[in-house]
Amino acid sequence: MRNLFVRESGNYKTSYSDDMKLFGTTGAKVKALLIVLIVLALPLLVSNYWIGLLTLCAIASVGAIGLNILTGLTGQISIGVGAFLGVGGYTSAILTSTYGLSFWIALPIAGIVTALIGGLFGIPSLRLKGLYLAIATLAAQVIILFVISRWDSVTGGTAGMVLNRPSIGEFSLSSNTGYYYLCAIILLLTILYATNLIRTRTGRAFLAVRDRDIAAQIMGINLFQYKVMAFAISSFFVGIAGALLAHYTMIVSPELYSFHVSIEYLAMILIGGLGSIFGSILGAIFITLLPVSLSSIIDVLAAFAPDLYQLLSAFKDFVFGAVIILFLIFEPGGLAHIWLNMKKYFRLWPFSY
Amino acid sequence: MTFFLQMLVTGVVVGSIYGLVALGFVLIYRASGALNLANGEFVIIGPYICLILMTAYKIPFIYALLITLIFSAVLGLVVERLVIRPIQNAPVVSVIMATIGLSSLLGGAVHMIWGHQTRTFPPVFPQTPINIAGVIISPVYLWSFIVVVLLLVIFSLFFKFSKMGIAMRAVADDRQAALSMGMSVKYVYAATWTIAAVVAAVGGVLLGNINGLSPTMSAIGLTVLPVVILGGLDSVLGAIVGGFIIGVVQNLAGGYLDPLVGGGLKDVVPFIIVLLILMLKPHGLFGSRRIERV
């Protein structure tokens, strides 16, 4: 019988365009279609609580893909993602709540504003690398959050702002299922854009910058342009994720975008796999569900020791740190790499050498 | 004028603590080229041990401090061996992330073991404030100032004359060359993390004496980042001078400008300085110019 996991028997590609095809085989097309169908059918199968979690995963995936374009593809570290999420969220909040604009206009504007601010803070990346860039983005995080929490007249200060769920004409997306579909579709579009980005001249330039920026410049890549572009594109998606998140939680306030959020997003792409879009999604799901599953573990244990609830947040921090360290030491390639290994194993099975 | 002087002096003494904590960063950066974002947690674990020893076991301060320092040294060693060494050759983002993970792990552990409430240190230094020309200083501040200056001298001499210090500089300069000259890079790394952890604990004990102890105090790990950037990531003198400058600027800005923007400027001003420094003079005031420009 034909092995179900083997979709091609060799490499028969004879041209570059063949090699670069998104869906090279019929199998790949079917797989992609299946995934889309599953994503769209999921709300019918699971409870409302899980739809909420899935929405959060989808939103985090959009942000993680954005960050991965910057850190994974272009090699520029950013630990200011939290603040950029905030910029997206606040832009959308101000536009929809204060100025009464439609969500469908506010969402892209939120992305564009975040892209502009991200590009602005990306300018230092031309001169700074590694540690220094990390600290510059950390400074961006602190400064942006300060501006947000002090600019009372526009942002509502530390109290934050309240938002509404969007609607299409008469049809409101206020239910969890409706909002899930919105986020899922945006996630699919993001995936499509990001996979295509890697296949273009821009994407290859990003990779060249990551691998050796001096060599890239010698080969005619305008470093300034591409680094700022990477910051802008990445921030665009982070801003979109921020706006989606804001309309999901229906509130924005400065403490929702703290340094801890930046770390979570960085953890997503590291645990998922640097430079891998599929990995970003896996990482986003992992990090989003980690505290949820820890809470349920604590729920079970609390039957024996009621004091445990007080330890919950500390315990989450502890496990979060441990998971990051363990992944870095034992599987630097992240979940995406584990997935590849599993695929390889089944592909070669039963002769796994 | 007295207000200005008071702000200035407060800035200097707060700056001396910053300098002390920043020293831990610099030591690790010098030897291993890594930025230890878990430094804040190193700073708070020491004083917690010291506090427990003093209150629960009634050990006099000096012995408690000694035990604390030994404990911190072991902690530094363990962290280096278990976390840092396996990823020594990984890209910068991984090393940064590992120390962030470490900070989350240690922070969570501190929180779980000692709870979130603020604890006060039993008085170690005399409580009566000293009045110097109308400016009031508490003795703790004076002590921290003395300790910082002392450590500055010790480490300057250490890096200049001792065999270990020279080995650390050599490893920081070029790891492969140091290896081929027969130095044990592993040993040097381990020693660096040990010393850095001990320095952090000293800073932590002083800080705990000033503000009391709580898990949120580990935020100082991020607060002193501007200090090391300003002073230069690899300069001991820079860490101390940067500490003083940031402390003074922060307090002056807080004192004079806070009423205008509604508070909170103290925490932001250092980072604005960071952005300026990174744009204008990325290697800091005293750092060596080794940043690769493109």
Side-chain angles (χ1 to χ4, degrees):
Chain A
M1 201 187 98
R2 198 171 154 244
N3 187 337
L4 283 175
F5 296 99
V6 177
R7 267 179 259 104
E8 55 212 38
S9 58
N11 194 342
Y12 297 114
K13 288 153 188 160
T14 48
S15 68
Y16 280 115
S17 58
D18 253 3
D19 198 34
M20 301 287 284
K21 261 186 192 162
L22 262 192
F23 308 110
T25 56
T26 328
K29 276 178 202 157
V30 171
K31 196 177 76 178
L33 194 68
L34 268 180
I35 290 174
V36 172
L37 283 180
I38 290 174
V39 166
L40 293 182
L42 262 180
L44 307 174
L45 307 172
V46 296
S47 70
N48 203 30
Y49 173 69
W50 274 96
I51 296 173
L53 285 182
L54 284 171
T55 313
L56 284 178
C57 289
I59 296 172
S61 301
V62 174
I65 290 175
L67 181 61
N68 222 337
I69 291 175
L70 181 66
T71 304
L73 289 187
T74 324
Q76 311 295 309
I77 305 166
S78 168
I79 43 181
V81 199
F84 292 125
L85 274 178
V87 172
Y90 267 97
T91 309
S92 189
I94 292 164
L95 289 178
T96 54
S97 294
T98 314
Y99 294 103
L101 278 178
S102 149
F103 168 81
W104 307 104
I105 302 172
L107 182 71
I109 294 182
I112 291 166
V113 168
T114 318
L116 287 178
I117 294 183
L120 186 71
F121 279 99
I123 292 174
S125 70
L126 192 65
R127 290 184 67 184
L128 305 171
K129 287 173 128 180
L131 292 176
Y132 288 85
L133 185 59
I135 295 169
T137 51
L138 177 67
Q141 157 98 29
V142 175
I143 292 169
I144 290 176
L145 272 196
F146 178 76
V147 170
I148 286 179
S149 59
R150 293 289 160 227
W151 201 0
D152 283 0
S153 54
V154 178
T155 62
T158 42
M161 298 175 76
V162 180
L163 298 87
N164 287 318
R165 293 270 174 89
S167 59
I168 309 172
E170 293 296 299
F171 179 67
S172 164
L173 294 177
S174 59
S175 74
N176 267 359
T177 319
Y179 204 70
Y180 167 79
Y181 278 120
L182 172 68
C183 296
I185 289 169
I186 290 180
L187 173 61
L188 290 174
L189 291 177
T190 310
I191 296 172
L192 198 66
Y193 176 83
T195 31
N196 273 314
L197 178 72
I198 300 174
R199 307 190 311 149
T200 60
R201 181 189 162 82
T202 314
R204 287 193 296 272
F206 284 171
L207 291 175
V209 170
R210 175 189 71 185
D211 290 342
R212 198 98 185 100
D213 49 2
I214 296 177
Q217 192 171 34
I218 291 169
M219 291 167 76
I221 290 168
N222 184 342
L223 276 188
F224 182 69
Q225 186 193 332
Y226 279 102
K227 278 185 174 176
V228 171
M229 200 198 268
F231 265 93
I233 292 177
S234 152
S235 304
F236 178 81
F237 286 111
V238 173
I240 293 281
L244 285 176
L245 189 65
H247 283 277
Y248 177 72
T249 54
M250 298 200 274
I251 188 165
V252 284
S253 82
E255 67 261 32
L256 292 176
Y257 305 109
S258 62
F259 178 57
H260 191 77
V261 178
S262 304
I263 296 174
E264 275 183 358
Y265 272 82
L266 214 50
M268 282 175 199
I269 63 167
L270 272 169
I271 287 175
L274 275 181
S276 154
I277 288 158
F278 183 57
S280 318
I281 299 167
L282 289 181
I285 294 173
F286 186 90
I287 294 289
T288 312
L289 295 187
L290 182 67
V292 180
S293 46
L294 286 180
S295 300
S296 47
I297 292 175
I298 291 271
D299 276 344
V300 174
L301 291 179
F304 309 103
D307 297 347
L308 277 176
Y309 279 115
Q310 293 167 1
L311 295 179
L312 184 60
S313 76
F315 183 59
K316 277 177 188 168
D317 281 350
F318 183 83
V319 174
F320 178 68
V323 165
I324 293 174
I325 293 175
L326 291 177
F327 261 98
L328 284 172
I329 294 174
F330 295 109
E331 187 52 275
L335 290 168
H337 193 235
I338 294 179
W339 174 255
L340 273 184
N341 281 347
M342 273 162 55
K343 250 167 72 173
K344 216 186 265 168
Y345 176 83
F346 281 112
R347 206 169 194 169
L348 301 175
W349 189 85
F351 306 109
S352 55
Y353 40 82
Chain B
M1 194 59 199
T2 331
F3 181 68
F4 176 77
L5 267 184
Q6 183 71 56
M7 285 294 157
L8 196 69
V9 172
T10 316
V12 168
V13 287
V14 171
S16 63
I17 303 266
Y18 285 170
L20 206 53
V21 178
L23 201 57
F25 271 110
V26 170
L27 288 175
I28 286 174
Y29 183 80
R30 277 188 83 117
S32 53
L35 196 66
N36 179 18
L37 288 177
N39 201 22
E41 274 68 24
F42 280 3
V43 168
I44 60 167
I45 288 179
Y48 264 113
I49 303 279
C50 191
L51 183 72
I52 298 300
L53 288 174
M54 282 170 72
T55 50
Y57 298 98
K58 307 275 181 248
I59 297 174
F61 175 68
I62 293 295
Y63 299 110
L65 182 66
L66 269 181
I67 299 173
T68 305
L69 295 187
I70 293 169
F71 178 86
S72 299
V74 173
L75 179 74
L77 266 181
V78 169
V79 163
E80 196 275 337
R81 185 69 194 87
L82 293 184
V83 179
I84 304 303
R85 196 175 294 177
I87 56 162
Q88 235 171 58
N89 299 317
V92 188
V93 60
S94 303
V95 181
I96 293 181
M97 205 55 206
T99 60
I100 289 178
L102 188 66
S103 97
S104 184
L105 181 106
L106 292 177
V110 167
H111 209 142
M112 279 198 283
I113 299 171
W114 290 300
H116 62 272
Q117 63 274 58
T118 306
R119 298 176 185 224
T120 41
F121 236 78
V124 174
F125 303 104
Q127 293 295 297
T128 35
I130 305 164
N131 191 331
I132 304 173
V135 177
I136 296 153
I137 311 171
S138 115
V140 185
Y141 285 130
L142 212 59
W143 271 103
S144 66
F145 187 79
I146 294 170
V147 170
V148 165
V149 173
L150 210 65
L151 279 176
L152 171 65
V153 174
I154 292 174
F155 276 108
S156 304
L157 295 177
F158 173 75
F159 276 118
K160 196 138 200 183
F161 297 111
S162 85
K163 205 170 171 185
M164 192 70 216
I166 295 170
M168 281 180 182
R169 271 165 54 203
V171 169
D173 198 44
D174 189 332
R175 199 157 55 140
Q176 281 192 327
L179 267 172
S180 61
M181 298 300 281
M183 284 179 214
S184 168
V185 171
K186 282 181 194 169
Y187 180 55
V188 169
Y189 276 5
T192 310
W193 278 83
T194 313
I195 296 174
V198 168
V199 170
V202 173
V205 169
L206 286 169
L207 201 62
N209 264 297
I210 296 170
N211 289 336
L213 265 180
S214 77
T216 51
M217 221 172 78
S218 60
I220 193 164
L222 291 182
T223 317
V224 300
L225 272 180
V227 172
V228 280
I229 292 295
L230 177 65
L233 268 173
D234 57 354
S235 159
V236 172
L237 179 67
I240 311 274
V241 175
F244 287 135
I245 295 178
I246 294 278
V248 168
V249 172
Q250 191 184 38
N251 269 286
L252 288 180
Y256 286 104
L257 299 177
D258 251 4
L260 300 179
V261 294
L265 209 58
K266 253 185 167 179
D267 304 322
V268 181
V269 163
F271 283 98
I272 296 175
I273 299 177
V274 160
L275 272 192
L276 289 178
I277 283 283
L278 286 177
M279 297 264 195
L280 302 174
K281 204 170 156 54
H283 43 80
L285 296 178
F286 299 95
S288 48
R289 295 163 187 258
R290 283 186 50 185
I291 293 184
E292 190 184 344
R293 294 262 182 73
V294 192

